[in-house]
Amino acid sequence: MASAQPNEDTAIRPFRADIPEEALVELRRRIAATRWPDQETVPDQSQGIQLANIKPLVEYWGTGYDWRKAEAKLNALPQFMTRIDGIDIHFIHVRSPHPNALPLIMTHGWPGSVFELLKTVGPLTDPPAHGGGAQDAFDLVLPSMPGYGFSGKPTDTGWGPDRIARAWAELMKRLGYTRYVAQGGDWGSPVSSAMARRAPTGVLGIHINLPATIPPEVDQALATGGPVPAGLSDKERATFDELSAYAMMGNRSYAVMMGTRPQTIGFAITDTPAGLAAWMLGHPGFATWTYSSSDPDKTPDEVLDNITLYWLTNTATSAARLYWENKSNILSATAEKTVEIALPVAITVFPGEVYRAPETWARRAYHKLVYFHEVDRGGHFAAWEQPELFSAELRAAFRSLR
């Protein structure tokens, strides 16, 4: 399927976020009318998000939070729309002030959005202002995935990582970029990997921070509860145990529900703001950063910017359908066809990620691994949590591809 439909308007149009005030009034009204569930009967999150954690956040959302500040963050950056494969794609495009900047397209995840990437704009486009060198500067393209944020919602099936990858290649072509790199974590990882696997003209390589490195025998043992595969090193065994514990704790239950019944979930999280917040905070990476972050600059407003974007654009259901579209295990090297990637691949492992990929697995999965580094800070939403460190990793990872 081509990324641009015949006779499709390929114009790139300026965009500015401007939510009607009545939508914000309605949001606050619905929050005030929240009917809260009983308190959980356990002292941890094994039954789901804890009432004591989420209730103050939602109450603040309805009384003290100001969406207009979030809009200002977006509108301070150049935003655009263009129609690709029948869908309006919203994207931020920031050109570096430095010559010979390397174009970089970055893809967000769920329950994230372009908000999770905004702190990296300065460090990536203007490295000298953030302890780097001008030779490592990037032109930055930050699209909202179809069904997310201000992008259009698919009305047909098939919008999985491969189709999004084709759309991103078309977007970079429209912007006039003939050589560029791609980056992604969470859903951005399979999207970026699909770009590398397809290798459209211009893509030089990718960086991912949620790599699909799990070998087939390990994936099988985890799926069936079978015996631990023989021959694992101490580090590989530690990762196997980490993945086993992750599965046993039910941390993937949100993905199972959205992967099988996104429409059913949508009825619940589209009608109630508190329900939407609870569902999104059920993501282990999002919840961990929200409640356990060491980032001194993180505020409740930053978390609510992201949740409010989903609410105001009514994209809770359309975003969830991405899980239904993608039937594979995005951590499995076999499912993600990593051996088909012939372009350079760079990986950064953050300690708070859902699993810490061993370098041995990474080199087995990606045959052209050009950069592998384990850092000491950051988690699943690394660009959000540690933007300076994350940006430094991208500078180092792509240096050899300039």
Side-chain angles (χ1 to χ4, degrees):
M1 182 180 297
S3 290
Q5 293 183 340
N7 303 317
E8 185 171 69
D9 181 3
T10 60
I12 294 175
R13 315 182 302 274
F15 175 83
R16 181 179 176 83
D18 186 16
I19 297 296
E21 184 61 29
E22 53 265 33
L24 302 178
V25 172
E26 173 65 6
L27 170 60
R28 290 190 287 267
R29 184 195 69 78
R30 285 174 176 261
I31 292 172
T34 298
R35 184 170 69 166
W36 297 99
D38 297 336
Q39 183 173 322
E40 63 281 355
T41 57
V42 292
D44 52 32
Q45 292 203 124
S46 60
Q47 293 181 352
I49 194 72
Q50 292 169 289
L51 186 64
N53 281 338
I54 194 169
K55 190 173 182 180
L57 180 68
V58 172
E59 289 176 341
Y60 170 72
W61 191 13
T63 57
Y65 171 74
D66 183 359
W67 163 256
R68 298 304 180 192
K69 293 180 179 179
E71 270 189 348
K73 293 179 190 177
L74 294 174
N75 292 333
L77 299 169
Q79 297 176 87
F80 303 90
M81 285 279 194
T82 192
R83 194 162 186 83
I84 302 177
D85 198 1
I87 294 287
D88 279 334
I89 299 297
H90 164 262
F91 64 99
I92 295 168
H93 184 201
V94 183
R95 295 186 184 272
S96 171
H98 304 287
N100 303 315
L102 179 63
L104 165 63
I105 183 167
M106 294 173 59
T107 308
H108 65 82
W110 186 94
S113 66
V114 291
F115 274 118
E116 73 181 78
L117 305 173
L118 296 189
K119 289 181 180 179
T120 68
V121 171
L124 290 173
T125 61
D126 190 12
H130 298 267
Q135 71 277 8
D136 289 328
F138 296 91
D139 280 354
L140 206 53
V141 180
L142 309 177
S144 298
M145 289 193 295
Y148 286 70
F150 292 110
S151 282
K153 303 173 187 178
T155 57
D156 61 346
T157 60
W159 277 101
D162 283 344
R163 194 167 175 182
I164 295 172
R166 290 194 293 269
W168 282 189
E170 174 67 18
L171 173 59
M172 296 303 276
K173 180 181 176 182
R174 287 187 193 179
L175 292 174
Y177 291 128
T178 57
R179 56 190 308 276
Y180 60 93
V181 292
Q183 196 285 328
D186 197 87
W187 280 111
S189 179
V191 170
S192 299
S193 295
M195 294 183 75
R197 191 170 59 249
R198 295 182 64 254
T201 301
V203 179
L204 304 176
I206 64 171
H207 174 278
I208 48 182
N209 54 290
L210 184 62
T213 68
I214 300 178
E217 69 276 11
V218 173
D219 191 33
Q220 177 71 12
L222 291 167
T224 62
V228 178
L232 297 183
S233 68
D234 290 345
K235 191 160 192 174
E236 291 168 343
R237 176 58 192 266
T239 302
F240 179 89
D241 292 342
E242 185 178 26
L243 287 164
S244 297
Y246 184 79
M248 289 291 291
M249 291 171 64
N251 283 328
R252 290 281 296 167
S253 57
Y254 70 94
V256 173
M257 287 295 294
M258 291 193 292
T260 55
R261 295 295 185 270
Q263 197 70 12
T264 302
I265 288 296
F267 279 107
I269 60 180
T270 296
D271 188 60
T272 163
L276 175 63
W279 185 251
M280 295 175 74
L281 289 166
H283 184 290
F286 197 38
T288 299
W289 177 59
T290 302
Y291 297 121
S292 307
S293 175
S294 59
D295 180 358
D297 297 323
K298 181 183 67 61
T299 66
D301 296 67
E302 192 170 357
V303 174
L304 290 171
D305 289 347
N306 187 69
I307 299 174
T308 308
L309 178 63
Y310 277 78
W311 177 266
L312 294 174
T313 56
N314 193 17
T315 49
T317 306
S318 56
R321 290 193 192 111
L322 180 55
Y323 286 82
W324 183 89
E325 291 285 357
N326 192 76
K327 305 302 183 185
S328 66
N329 175 3
I330 66 172
L331 303 182
S332 165
T334 301
E336 290 301 308
K337 304 175 184 177
T338 59
V339 295
E340 297 180 13
I341 297 176
L343 293 179
V345 175
I347 293 172
T348 300
V349 176
F350 291 87
E353 186 53 274
V354 295
Y355 89 113
R356 287 167 289 183
E359 185 171 359
T360 50
W361 289 1
R363 295 199 176 278
R364 180 177 168 185
Y366 300 94
H367 293 176
K368 201 166 182 182
L369 186 66
V370 297
Y371 180 89
F372 183 92
H373 190 212
E374 297 181 61
V375 295
D376 61 356
R377 303 185 309 280
H380 187 70
F381 294 97
W384 218 348
E385 301 168 41
Q386 299 291 338
E388 296 284 353
L389 174 61
F390 179 87
S391 300
E393 280 298 297
L394 265 59
R395 293 182 210 133
F398 289 127
R399 198 163 286 144
S400 66
L401 302 184
R402 291 180 178 269

